[in-house]
Amino acid sequence: MLKRHTLIHYLHELLDIDRFKDYAPNGLQVEGNAEIRHVVTGVTASLALIEAAIELGADTLLVHHGYFWKGENPVVCGLKKQRLARLLAADMNLLAYHLPLDAHPQWGNNAQLGALWQVHNIQALASEPLVLQGEFEAALSGASVAQRLTETLHRPPLHIAAERPIRRLAWCSGGAQGYIEAAAAAGVDAYISGEISEQTTHIARELGIHYFAAGHYATERFGAKALGEHLSAQFDLQCSFVDVDNPA
Ligand SMILES: [Zn+2]
């Protein structure tokens, strides 16, 4: 039987957690059962995901967005009370991995996106190591890239179009639109992230590069899913990814 501390230690090493200065604790956030048989993976530890994990008979929830974010009110009231009460009553472990699960070179959201979009010669930006850059097999039109994103993420991106064809691109999952200038400085034709801010449109136009907002949730589903598949191959445990659809 897999012990909780064995899994936590394994993930700590695998995801190289000590390398990150993050906005929330990475690792065990809520303690449940000491023995692990069934892990549900998902993007956000919302009440809907907790209920789904309980329904599936899981003892552990492994997510990208957990709790206890820097700057939030630490008081356990309202939504946070509801969520914690459900986890504790079910004796469910909550494991959360934020930046380490964006950045991991194999199981990370960004690495998974690079493989999904068939990007070659992938490397991190020197100025922003969370952001990856690479190139397509040939120069593509903005519309073709939008099509590739739609097919792989199952939703159309919001595209701020530029004139140039796209050979080199950079990307970072989630709410990483703020890295667009760092991406442009690296000489890419397009930058892709999950969300868009009002000013991102103007920045993209003035820099003359394409910007694609492909969805925060849509770009962050892959890391937790891939990590769960890896864990079920590595250990004697069941892993199920649960999609809680989110248009944002
Ligand atoms: Zn996120």
Side-chain angles (χ1 to χ4, degrees):
M1 186 61 57
L2 179 62
K3 299 284 185 200
R4 181 183 59 231
H5 65 81
T6 305
L7 181 64
I8 291 169
H9 182 74
Y10 177 79
L11 287 168
H12 194 108
E13 299 289 313
L14 180 77
L15 299 174
D16 205 1
I17 281 164
D18 297 329
R19 194 159 65 82
F20 295 88
K21 267 190 78 182
D22 212 332
Y23 315 103
N26 284 299
L28 184 66
Q29 291 195 338
V30 178
E31 185 179 306
N33 205 302
E35 292 184 335
I36 298 183
R37 296 176 180 81
H38 187 173
V39 177
V40 158
T41 56
V43 178
T44 300
S46 61
L47 195 58
L49 186 63
I50 295 168
E51 301 288 5
I54 292 171
E55 186 123 321
L56 288 168
D59 46 57
T60 300
L61 193 51
L62 189 161
V63 297
H64 183 48
H65 301 140
Y67 305 146
F68 315 117
W69 300 95
K70 252 182 212 166
E72 77 177 11
N73 185 345
V75 168
V76 179
C77 287
L79 294 185
K80 188 181 273 178
K81 183 228 165 182
Q82 301 291 343
R83 291 169 169 186
L84 291 173
R86 289 299 281 146
L87 284 170
L88 292 168
D91 204 22
M92 176 100 59
N93 295 294
L94 175 65
L95 301 176
Y97 300 94
H98 183 233
L99 298 183
L101 193 51
D102 286 318
H104 189 273
Q106 190 171 0
W107 315 117
N109 285 318
N110 290 331
Q112 292 286 318
L113 291 172
L116 196 66
W117 297 335
Q118 300 169 49
V119 182
H120 304 276
N121 302 325
I122 296 176
Q123 57 184 66
L125 282 196
S127 60
E128 297 291 351
L130 267 185
V131 180
L132 296 185
Q133 61 179 326
E135 52 191 39
F136 288 125
E137 65 282 8
L140 300 173
S141 68
S144 315
V145 173
Q147 183 62 27
R148 187 169 296 193
L149 299 184
T150 305
E151 282 165 8
T152 51
L153 304 180
H154 310 296
R155 52 163 279 167
L158 192 158
H159 179 198
I160 307 300
E163 290 294 327
R164 57 165 96 184
I166 302 170
R167 180 78 192 255
R168 294 191 59 205
L169 71 155
W171 67 98
C172 189
S173 68
Q177 63 269 46
Y179 293 136
I180 184 172
E181 288 177 89
V188 299
D189 305 306
Y191 179 57
I192 306 170
S193 186
E195 298 188 24
I196 186 163
S197 304
E198 193 274 346
Q199 68 264 30
T200 319
T201 303
H202 302 294
I203 296 170
R205 286 176 183 161
E206 289 171 35
L207 292 169
I209 66 169
H210 297 261
Y211 181 70
F212 298 89
H216 190 134
Y217 182 80
T219 55
E220 296 202 326
R221 295 169 65 252
F222 300 95
K225 189 166 188 285
L227 183 60
E229 285 159 10
H230 169 67
L231 292 177
S232 61
Q234 194 76 13
F235 297 105
D236 179 23
L237 55 78
Q238 189 185 343
C239 253
S240 340
F241 177 78
V242 172
D243 229 342
V244 177
D245 186 43
N246 184 339

